Amino acid sequence: MTTRQLQAIAREHGTPVVIVDHDVIRRNYAAFRRHLPRVQAYYAVKANPAPEIVQTLYKAGASFDVASFPEFMLVHENIRHLPAKERQDFIWDKIVYANPIKPRETLEALNQYKPLVTYDNAEELKKIRKYAPSAGLALRLRVPNTGSMVELSSKFGCDPGEAAELIERAFRTDLVVEAVSFHVGSQCTNFDNFVQALNMAAAVMQEARSRGHEINILDIGGGFPAAYNPHVPPFGELAKRINAEIRRLFPAKIEILAEPGRFFVATAATCVARVIGKAKRDGKTCYYIDDSVYHTFSGMIFDHCLYPLKAFKRGRNEICSVFGQTCDGLDTLSQSEELPNLEIDDLVYAENIGAYSNASSTWFNGFPPAKVVHVNL
Ligand SMILES: *Cc1c(COP(=O)(O)O)cnc(C)c1O
C-alpha cells in the first residue's frame, strides 16, 4: 500500500482504521508453501480472526488451527459452499483444535465433528475420553522456546519423558493418537528451537513405533517469524533447516502440518490513526491519538511487540511521546518516538500490525475497536 492509498482510505472511512491487504496474505501463504513444500499450513485463526482472512486463506489452500469452539465454528461457517458429504473429510483435513486445555462443554460440542484435538496431560485425556470420544488426538510436547518473543513452554506441553506413557494411556482407553505436535514460541528467531523440537518429536514417534503405535502426523506448530524489520532472520533460512531435519529424521510417508499465525497476517495490515490532542510536558511534545494499547495496539501488551509510528507529513523529526486515547497511564505507545511536528487532525500510521492486534482489541473507556477495511480481496 502506498501512503497515498492509506490516506485516501482513512479519509473515506475515518479513523482509527486497520487496512488489511489480502495480496500480502496470499504472498505470505505462497512463500510459506514454496519454502516448505512438504508442510500443509493450518492458519492459526487467533492471530487475526477476520472472516475475510479465513476465506482468502481457504481459497489459497490453507487449513486452520482453532483455539476455541467459536473459532471452530467461524471456520466451519466460512466453508459453507462445500457439499455436505465432504464436510467430515473437511474437518480432518482442514481444522486442528490446538488448544491443549478444553472446557467440557467444548468437547461435548466438538464430538459430532470428529475433530483432531491436542492434549498434554492425563486429566485432559480423561475429559476427551468422556466428552469427545470420537476425537483424534495430537500429543503436544514441551520444547525449548529460548529467545522467542512470546514464550509458551511454561503453560503447555508434556515433558518428553512423559510422552510415551501419555500415548500408551490414550491407546489403552481406545483413543487414537494421530499426531505429535509442538510450538517453539511465537516470533521465533532462534532457529535452533525448531531443530531441537524436531529431534524431540522424532524420538517420541520412534519410541511409540517401538511399542507398536504408528503415529503418522507431525505438527510443527507456529512461531514462524514475520519480517517486522530487517533484523529478523529470513524465513528461507529457517525453512532450509526445517527441511533438512525433516529429511533426516522422518520417514517420507509422514504427513507434516504447521500452524502459522503471525507469519501470514502480521505484515498484511497497517493502521492509521489521527492526532486528537497535543501538549508539552517536561519540555517534550506529547501527542494523543484516537487508537490505544487497549485497541489496535494491544499487541504491545499481550504480544510484546513494538509498532513504530510514522507520519505522512514530511519535516525534521524530533523526539516526542505518543499516548493512546484512554484515561489510563499504561496506554502509552511510546516515550521516544521520532516524528515531525504534527498538528491536531494530522494522521499517523503503523505498519505490520496484522497479527495479535485488533484480535485482542477491547471496548475499554467506551471506545470501540478500530474499523477494519479489507483491500485486494
Ligand atoms: C498461537 C498458536 C499458533 C500460532 O503461532 P504464531 O506464532 O502466530 O505462528 C500456533 N499453534 C498454537 C497451538 C498456538 O497456540
Side-chain angles (χ1 to χ4, degrees):
M1 301 281 291
T2 64
T3 53
R4 183 176 295 198
Q5 288 170 310
L6 294 172
Q7 289 175 94
I9 289 168
R11 259 197 310 276
E12 185 188 341
H13 295 275
T15 58
V17 63
V18 176
I19 301 147
V20 181
D21 184 344
H22 286 244
D23 275 346
V24 178
I25 296 174
R26 282 186 289 267
R27 228 182 288 143
N28 290 342
Y29 178 80
F32 190 90
R33 294 296 315 220
R34 190 171 64 250
H35 286 290
L36 293 172
R38 271 200 67 188
V39 181
Q40 171 66 3
Y42 284 59
Y43 169 57
V45 173
K46 74 173 190 284
N48 193 323
E52 291 86 348
I53 294 177
V54 169
Q55 282 166 13
T56 288
L57 283 167
Y58 176 71
K59 283 183 207 147
S63 304
F64 300 91
D65 155 5
V66 300
S68 66
F69 190 65
E71 277 192 3
F72 182 90
M73 291 317 290
L74 171 76
V75 173
H76 204 258
E77 298 292 298
N78 276 281
I79 49 93
R80 230 186 253 136
H81 55 277
L82 266 179
K85 69 178 175 48
E86 285 178 24
R87 286 288 180 90
Q88 191 50 55
D89 297 339
F90 172 87
I91 298 298
W92 274 95
D93 291 346
K94 286 290 171 186
I95 308 181
V96 54
Y97 191 106
N99 189 337
I101 306 295
K102 294 158 285 297
R104 163 169 49 73
E105 296 81 358
T106 292
L107 288 168
E108 284 170 339
L110 281 173
N111 188 48
Q112 61 166 308
Y113 299 102
K114 304 188 174 69
L116 183 61
V117 304
T118 59
Y119 78 111
D120 64 8
N121 68 81
E123 289 294 329
E124 193 70 15
L125 206 48
K126 270 195 254 170
K127 268 185 342 197
I128 295 170
R129 178 72 190 91
K130 192 158 174 199
Y131 301 110
S134 58
L137 302 183
L139 179 70
R140 168 92 170 253
L141 288 179
R142 179 177 177 183
V143 299
N145 279 203
T146 316
S148 295
M149 193 162 84
V150 182
E151 105 98 22
L152 302 163
S153 62
S154 55
K155 183 164 174 183
F156 296 121
C158 73
D159 281 326
E162 308 168 297
E165 167 55 21
L166 280 170
I167 290 168
E168 282 291 349
R169 201 185 271 251
F171 281 105
R172 268 206 307 277
T173 53
D174 290 332
L175 292 168
V176 179
V177 182
E178 309 276 352
V180 168
S181 75
F182 58 75
H183 196 305
V184 295
S186 200
Q187 187 69 5
C188 170
T189 50
N190 173 12
F191 298 164
D192 292 338
N193 285 350
F194 272 101
V195 173
Q196 287 183 51
L198 287 165
N199 279 271
M200 288 162 74
V204 168
M205 287 164 91
Q206 183 62 46
E207 166 85 24
R209 194 174 307 124
S210 74
R211 298 178 182 216
H213 304 303
E214 280 290 334
I215 298 175
N216 288 317
I217 303 174
L218 169 68
D219 176 353
I220 66 174
F224 308 94
Y228 286 108
N229 60 58
H231 306 296
V232 176
F235 176 67
E237 256 170 46
L238 170 60
K240 256 187 222 149
R241 295 190 67 183
I242 291 175
N243 288 332
E245 288 304 293
I246 286 176
R247 264 196 306 275
R248 193 170 71 78
L249 296 166
F250 299 93
K253 64 166 199 264
I254 293 280
E255 190 182 324
I256 302 168
L257 49 107
E259 302 163 351
R262 183 192 302 284
F263 185 81
F264 287 165
V265 292
T267 55
T270 303
C271 77
V272 182
R274 191 164 54 97
V275 175
I276 55 169
K278 182 178 179 180
K280 207 107 185 164
R281 302 193 197 280
D282 297 326
K284 188 157 66 168
T285 306
C286 303
Y287 297 107
Y288 299 78
I289 67 169
D290 61 355
D291 208 326
S292 88
V293 303
Y294 287 93
H295 297 83
T296 312
F297 290 82
S298 62
M300 289 183 63
I301 309 292
F302 298 124
D303 194 37
H304 318 284
C305 194
L306 290 176
Y307 300 104
L309 281 166
K310 295 182 179 175
F312 294 105
K313 209 179 208 177
R314 300 242 174 110
R316 199 169 53 79
N317 280 349
E318 52 172 292
I319 303 283
C320 58
S321 292
V322 182
F323 297 106
Q325 64 200 339
T326 73
C327 285
D328 187 1
L330 175 76
D331 188 9
T332 300
L333 300 181
S334 176
Q335 299 267 32
S336 59
E337 204 59 67
E338 290 192 36
L339 289 169
N341 185 38
L342 298 175
E343 306 300 338
I344 305 274
D345 284 339
D346 279 346
L347 299 179
V348 291
Y349 65 105
E351 298 169 299
N352 304 325
I353 197 160
Y356 308 112
S357 51
N358 50 341
S360 40
S361 185
T362 71
W363 282 74
F364 189 50
N365 277 210
F367 294 113
K371 182 166 187 184
V372 181
V373 174
H374 295 271
V375 299
N376 299 319
L377 267 172

